[in-house]
Amino acid sequence: MKIILLGAPGAGKGTQATRIASKYGIVHISTGDIFRANIKGGTEIGKLAKSYIDAGKLVPDSVTCDIVKDRLGWDDVKKGYLLDGFPRSLYQAEELSKFADIDLCLNLEVDPSLIMERICGRRVCSCGESYHVSTLNGSTVCAKCGKELYARADDNPETVKARLDTYDENTAPLIDYYKARGKLVTVVCGTKTPDEVFEAVCEVLDK
Ligand code: ADP
Ligand code: ZN
């Protein structure tokens, strides 16, 4: 199974991706996570990516495509994979089609009015879990591993606004792109809980 997960920032891609990967035994590849790991590690890619991420813009296509192309050459992707956050532009989609044959593009459709509140209240753990302050009951540690939670540097109102503009301009056209190729399935998230969204996602993937 080779899947693309598409959706605006705050649509819940990361949350669903973790669950899909573990249920279906496929590898979760998040370009955002790869960039954040590079920033943490102080690599050249990290240094370059940071300025774009902080501004809510796309990291240049050439850099991003090289990273994904390389990652899809590893052995562990043979069972299948889930791309979370890639492609994010028509150029990236065209590049991807040169080195990968995707089965499905799963589009998570979120109510735009919910996004700001969702992202700005997000707290994440270095283990990959994420939470919302409204459900933490004042806790500041991860329920899974006990480590201290933190807010992502780009989860502030200003950067979120820029990320939403970037999404509208560069990424939203991918909905029609994959629709035209008969690969698009949209799951409408509305006010569904993560569990309910996952149920709807599984229904699609089990087919
Ligand atoms: P979200 O979907 O919540 O915005 P991500 O973790 O997927 O968060 O991405 C964070 C940031 O990393 C993006 O705003 C962008 O700057 C950069 N990024 C991630 N994936 C890509 C990509 N495919 N192309 C260019 N930049 C990317
Ligand atoms: Zn954790």
Side-chain angles (χ1 to χ4, degrees), residues 50-200:
K50 189 175 181 337
S51 56
Y52 294 96
I53 293 178
D54 288 348
K57 295 191 173 142
L58 294 186
V59 177
D61 282 335
S62 57
V63 177
T64 311
C65 290
D66 279 353
I67 288 174
V68 175
K69 190 175 177 186
D70 173 79
R71 185 64 187 83
L72 294 186
W74 295 19
D75 265 353
D76 62 348
V77 301
K78 294 218 170 87
K79 280 188 284 178
Y81 52 83
L82 176 68
L83 292 174
D84 163 12
F86 184 93
R88 246 176 160 98
S89 66
L90 288 170
Y91 179 86
Q92 291 180 8
E94 277 297 311
E95 284 302 302
L96 177 66
S97 73
K98 294 177 192 165
F99 55 79
D101 206 2
I102 292 299
D103 300 311
L104 183 78
C105 175
L106 192 62
N107 176 36
L108 297 183
E109 193 178 284
V110 63
D111 185 342
S113 69
L114 298 176
I115 291 178
M116 191 56 83
E117 214 270 314
R118 268 200 189 184
I119 300 188
C120 295
R122 172 159 66 186
R123 296 295 179 270
V124 296
C125 176
S126 57
C127 79
E129 273 300 307
S130 67
Y131 301 86
H132 192 273
V133 280
S134 63
T135 61
L136 278 170
N137 294 316
S139 168
T140 60
V141 295
C142 176
K144 283 249 167 83
C145 75
K147 274 185 272 186
E148 197 68 26
L149 300 172
Y150 57 93
R152 257 169 55 179
D154 59 344
D155 281 353
N156 63 79
E158 223 172 80
T159 309
V160 172
K161 262 198 214 108
R163 283 156 64 194
L164 289 172
D165 288 345
T166 301
Y167 171 81
D168 287 340
E169 191 181 323
N170 300 286
T171 312
L174 293 179
I175 295 174
D176 283 339
Y177 177 92
Y178 286 110
K179 204 184 277 171
R181 283 156 184 76
K183 304 240 160 131
L184 191 87
V185 179
T186 295
V187 170
V188 180
C189 303
T191 52
K192 287 196 187 98
T193 63
D195 284 347
E196 288 165 344
V197 174
F198 187 55
E199 225 171 89

